[in-house]
Amino acid sequence: MASIDIKAINKVYPNGFHAVHDLSLSVADGEFMVLVGPSGCGKTTALRMVAGLEEVTEGSVQIGEKDVTVLPARERDIAMVFQNYALYPHMTVGQNIGFALSLRGIGKAEIDKRVKEAADVLSLTEWLDRKPAQLSGGQRQRVAMGRAIVREPAAFLMDEALSNLDAKLRVQMRAEVSRIQRRLGVATMYVTHDQTEAMTMGDRVAVMNAGVLQQCDHPQVLYDSPQNLFVAGFMGSPAMNLYEAGLGEGATSMRLGSQRLNLPAQVVSERPGLGAYAGRKVVVGFRPEHLELARANGAGQVLNVETELVEALGSEQLLHFKIDARRIHAPGVDEDEEVANSTSVGVARIEPQDQVKVSERVRLSVKVESMHFFDPGSGDAIRA
Amino acid sequence: MKRSRYGWLRVVGIGVLLLWSLFPVYWALNTSLMTNAQAQSSPPSFFPTHFVFSNYEAIFGFGPSSASTAGGIGRALLNSSVESLGATVLTLVLATIGAYAFARLRFRFQGFLFYVVIATLTLPVYATLIPIYTILTKLGLVNTYLGIILVYTSGFLPLAMWIMYNMFQALPASIEEAASIDGATTLQIFRRIVLPIVRPGMAAAAIITFLFGWGQFIFPLVLGSTNSTEPLTVALSALSGRHVVPYTMINAAAIVAIAVPAVIVFFLNRYIVDGIVAGSVK
Ligand SMILES: Nc1ncnc2c1ncn2[C@@H]1O[C@H](COP(=O)(O)OP(=O)(O)OP(=O)(O)O)[C@@H](O)[C@H]1O
Ligand SMILES: [Mg+2]
């Protein structure tokens, strides 16, 4: 068991494409690190460099005390789960799981014992004599896991290990994978493009975009204090509402489309950097749960919006609304066509018992203290 | 239900096809079991009235009429086997290694080289006959097993390589990567993962190569001028003398010539259809 230390690695593909830029990341022994980002951002490339399947153009990779940057994959003592599972089609489940052990010259009895243990953990015992072609997708996924855990490697690498499963099984296997990883206590790098998976599974989550690491922290920290527009827009579902806003003189108020919100002194004192933006444009963000239907007698800050669609999810309702403020799209996250529209949509999480009709004007109260502010140019969060 | 309405058409079509291709074989078998007199009777007999095995004895150099065949076709059978098998083994080894290199390694002019190799399939083989003869003469390989095996191999390699190339292309690289992460060396990956998976392709390439080799005529006729290397095909045609054409014996030899590949295809065919890769990924 060991940690993984990635130091400023770069990948330039032979065709000149620079897929990963100066990525530095440390995965502590036993830690579950999720690497998340939109498709094509370089997650797989980064993982493959750690695995030794892709040459590192620049930088170094260390596993435990050993610099493995130029070691071939087979000498790195890592296990990897591939998105397509990459099972050996001509071998039985048992042989698939035991292959790595047989290469190490371990005796048959010992291999059988360890394969059986791994199969037990993954409830695969009754399939040990089957070929991969005779298994369901979920069973194949577990065989791929079995192949990884039987080895007791220094590190686990998983590339979209669950994305070929159907939604229900995926949720189930998330917990399963987390449970096994915690039990074995092996440093794990887990790649996914699914931010829910990242939030639920990661001890820490590294968000990447366009080959560049955006932020790496505990999931709740990413959610509560995104360092830039990209992380703000990427983490969370439904996504954070982001609008262009004009900060008033003295930063005591804010103009959002045709409406005005007062900024309590606390907001500015907690974000001293905001003072410099007085009289200028900023990007303001609030999470759907920081909006609620304003009570008739309620005080606080209120936005007038027009309801567009209500989705009842049982435990809550998602209220999609229109507001006459310019919506900002985080770079790289879902690009819609209505970016330039003066009125745009937003989402609020409201109580399940709230009665709202479509195409109605309602008032939403905003939890101003929880708002996020970003520089419209750089996209960086405005804090200190 | 289209299928049942036109089902009879399929049956008729397949029947015609079978009749078309198998009747000559049947006729050869029929004739091989007759005496010369029966064979030349008119009207011809569609069934052997009493089975005569003397033709088979004769072509292998036994029995009373053996004198006419001068030692029989036993040697030719051996020659055919050695040459076809030799070419098959050599072709398969080279095709597998070569195709793997083309499918997996990256090197300069890779695409171009591959197409050059495959393009040789379109060369008319007879255009190469004279140059090959000249080359073999210079190397002292005319009328040797090695010479014929080399020539066959050069001719069959592109097709075999193309078959193997497609097998390797269909094999996801991630399977080999998984093996390397499991700790396998390149050689171990090739032997324990890649080869077993592409075995159906190898069987197909081997069968095709063997059958091609078995059926060669012009090349061995030109390149092997004596009994020591003459395959069955050539020996068969040599059975007809200047004055007498021993139809029954020629047909017996033809049946022997057909029997070997027929048996091989019959027993190895399943390897071709063995869909072993299915289910390895996803
Ligand atoms: N062999 C290659 N040669 C050139 N460019 C490549 C190569 N492999 C990947 N790329 C490019 O590098 C970028 C990152 O690819 P990568 O596979 O790491 O993305 P990813 O984040 O894993 O995406 P996904 O979520 O779709 O799997 C992509 O733009 C891709 O087109
Ligand atoms: Mg990927």
Side-chain angles (χ1 to χ4, degrees):
Chain A
M1 271 171 255
S3 58
I4 306 171
D5 284 293
I6 301 170
K7 296 198 184 105
I9 52 170
N10 279 271
K11 178 67 191 183
V12 181
Y13 278 111
N15 66 0
F17 185 78
H18 199 156
V20 173
H21 295 260
D22 285 327
L23 174 67
S24 294
L25 211 55
S26 287
V27 187
D29 192 6
E31 188 178 27
F32 198 113
M33 171 72 81
V34 176
L35 204 51
V36 71
S39 185
C41 73
K43 312 177 292 284
T44 297
T45 305
L47 195 73
R48 289 171 57 86
M49 284 194 280
V50 176
L53 299 174
E54 206 73 70
E55 215 173 291
V56 176
T57 310
E58 218 187 293
S60 73
V61 178
Q62 207 171 316
I63 295 177
E65 296 304 305
K66 200 157 77 176
D67 188 319
V68 299
T69 314
V70 295
L71 280 191
R74 85 187 123 86
E75 289 170 29
R76 294 193 182 194
D77 192 22
I78 40 141
M80 182 159 168
V81 178
F82 292 77
Q83 178 170 4
N84 65 9
Y85 312 145
L87 303 181
Y88 312 127
H90 58 299
M91 296 185 188
T92 63
V93 168
Q95 289 166 336
N96 261 281
I97 297 176
F99 182 65
L101 302 179
S102 77
L103 287 172
R104 283 166 180 68
I106 294 172
K108 185 154 181 342
E110 170 75 6
I111 292 179
D112 284 349
K113 187 173 137 270
R114 284 170 66 177
V115 167
K116 232 189 136 301
E117 280 169 11
D120 275 346
V121 172
L122 293 157
S123 329
L124 278 171
T125 315
E126 57 180 308
W127 315 115
L128 279 178
D129 292 325
R130 294 245 187 137
K131 293 265 178 77
Q134 303 161 317
L135 299 178
S136 73
Q139 290 160 346
R140 284 179 206 171
Q141 203 282 334
R142 289 210 292 272
V143 178
M145 283 291 295
R147 213 163 51 174
I149 66 173
V150 79
R151 300 234 327 257
E152 296 166 8
F156 283 145
L157 307 177
M158 306 190 195
D159 191 359
E160 311 262 5
L162 304 181
S163 60
N164 276 337
L165 302 179
D166 65 58
K168 193 163 165 217
L169 197 53
R170 187 155 60 222
V171 173
Q172 204 178 318
M173 286 306 293
R174 259 185 222 155
E176 185 96 333
V177 171
S178 297
R179 180 177 64 83
I180 292 169
Q181 191 271 342
R182 251 165 265 281
R183 212 179 85 162
L184 298 176
V186 174
T188 301
M189 270 182 85
Y190 183 99
V191 161
T192 178
H193 60 262
D194 178 348
Q195 59 86 26
T196 316
E197 222 162 87
M199 287 292 293
T200 53
M201 297 175 81
D203 290 327
R204 280 193 303 156
V205 176
V207 183
M208 277 182 80
N209 185 34
V212 179
L213 179 65
Q214 305 290 311
Q215 189 174 1
C216 174
D217 218 315
H218 303 284
Q220 200 60 46
V221 176
L222 293 184
Y223 191 81
D224 293 338
S225 323
Q227 233 156 46
N228 60 35
L229 264 180
F230 180 83
V231 178
F234 191 80
M235 300 302 288
S237 172
M240 185 186 284
N241 300 296
L242 293 164
Y243 303 101
E244 188 181 83
L247 219 53
E249 292 302 328
T252 53
S253 70
M254 175 178 91
R255 183 155 287 287
L256 198 59
S258 63
Q259 311 186 45
R260 225 177 83 114
L261 292 174
N262 289 324
L263 294 181
Q266 179 209 353
V267 170
V268 184
S269 65
E270 281 175 356
R271 303 169 182 77
L274 213 49
Y277 288 82
R280 290 168 54 194
K281 289 222 157 80
V282 293
V283 174
V284 63
F286 32 86
R287 298 243 175 235
E289 59 269 32
H290 295 148
L291 294 168
E292 59 183 8
L293 283 188
R295 307 293 152 207
N297 56 353
Q301 306 287 326
V302 170
L303 285 175
N304 289 302
V305 301
E306 188 186 333
T307 62
E308 200 178 58
L309 171 74
V310 184
E311 291 177 273
L313 299 179
S315 62
E316 64 188 15
Q317 299 186 77
L318 294 181
L319 169 65
H320 296 253
F321 58 81
K322 279 198 279 200
I323 185 169
D324 68 338
R326 187 163 160 240
R327 187 172 173 96
I328 300 294
H329 286 255
V333 183
D334 52 40
E335 283 112 26
D336 289 3
E337 53 302 330
E338 35 86 66
V339 180
N341 270 2
S342 57
T343 60
S344 48
V345 295
V347 183
R349 268 184 219 275
I350 58 175
E351 299 293 324
Q353 65 274 15
D354 285 339
Q355 303 278 329
V356 184
K357 287 201 280 293
V358 172
S359 297
E360 187 184 41
R361 292 204 71 81
V362 298
R363 290 162 15 104
L364 294 175
S365 78
V366 189
K367 214 169 160 189
V368 180
E369 322 81 77
S370 306
M371 284 205 299
H372 300 267
F373 297 89
F374 304 93
D375 182 291
S378 67
D380 289 340
I382 303 168
R383 289 194 198 129
Chain B
M1 299 300 281
K2 253 190 193 133
R3 183 115 179 241
S4 59
R5 186 182 305 167
Y6 295 108
W8 62 272
L9 247 178
R10 259 170 39 140
V11 173
V12 169
I14 292 171
V16 167
L17 213 69
L18 281 179
L19 201 66
W20 176 266
S21 49
L22 290 184
F23 184 74
V25 177
Y26 170 73
W27 198 247
L29 184 64
N30 184 24
T31 312
S32 73
L33 296 170
M34 297 175 178
T35 62
N36 246 337
Q38 285 169 329
Q40 283 165 19
S41 71
S42 169
S45 161
F46 279 83
F47 309 99
T49 38
H50 35 272
F51 293 87
V52 176
F53 290 100
S54 58
N55 296 312
Y56 288 92
E57 287 166 5
I59 56 171
F60 283 105
F62 305 110
S65 52
S66 64
S68 61
T69 56
I73 61 161
R75 175 70 197 207
L77 193 59
L78 175 75
N79 292 344
S80 272
S81 305
V82 170
E83 289 157 14
S84 302
L85 274 179
T88 302
V89 170
L90 188 59
T91 300
L92 210 58
V93 169
L94 294 179
T96 305
I97 294 170
Y100 189 68
F102 273 118
R104 285 289 187 264
L105 307 181
R106 295 282 154 261
F107 48 89
R108 272 163 80 82
F109 308 121
Q110 180 175 32
F112 176 73
L113 283 176
F114 186 69
Y115 285 112
V116 167
V117 172
I118 299 307
T120 61
L121 276 174
T122 63
L123 281 183
V125 285
Y126 301 111
T128 61
L129 186 56
I130 304 302
I132 282 179
Y133 184 80
T134 316
I135 294 169
L136 285 202
T137 310
K138 289 204 174 115
L139 294 175
L141 292 175
V142 170
N143 207 19
T144 62
Y145 283 151
L146 182 62
I148 288 180
I149 288 172
L150 287 178
V151 171
Y152 284 4
T153 301
S154 81
F156 307 147
L157 191 58
L159 182 60
M161 202 154 121
W162 187 71
I163 293 173
M164 292 314 297
Y165 179 78
N166 284 323
M167 286 303 288
F168 291 130
Q169 284 279 297
L171 177 67
S174 58
I175 291 183
E176 289 161 62
E177 290 171 350
S180 81
I181 283 180
D182 266 349
T185 61
T186 309
L187 198 66
Q188 283 170 324
I189 294 172
F190 196 67
R191 270 196 40 235
R192 298 186 56 177
I193 305 292
V194 175
L195 281 189
I197 295 176
V198 299
R199 210 171 42 193
M202 293 178 72
I207 291 169
I208 290 171
T209 306
F210 182 85
L211 296 182
F212 277 179
W214 194 263
Q216 285 301 304
F217 179 70
I218 289 284
F219 277 86
L221 179 68
V222 171
L223 302 176
S225 45
T226 69
N227 270 345
S228 62
T229 57
E230 253 175 29
L232 260 182
T233 43
V234 175
L236 212 107
S237 71
L239 280 179
S240 37
R242 186 179 300 209
H243 304 293
V244 233
V245 180
Y247 285 113
T248 52
M249 259 195 273
I250 291 179
N251 277 308
I255 289 298
V256 171
I258 291 169
V260 173
V263 165
I264 285 174
V265 168
F266 185 79
F267 283 106
L268 297 186
N269 203 24
R270 72 194 165 92
Y271 285 111
I272 307 181
V273 282
D274 213 354
I276 192 170
V277 177
S280 67
V281 293
K282 194 128 172 228

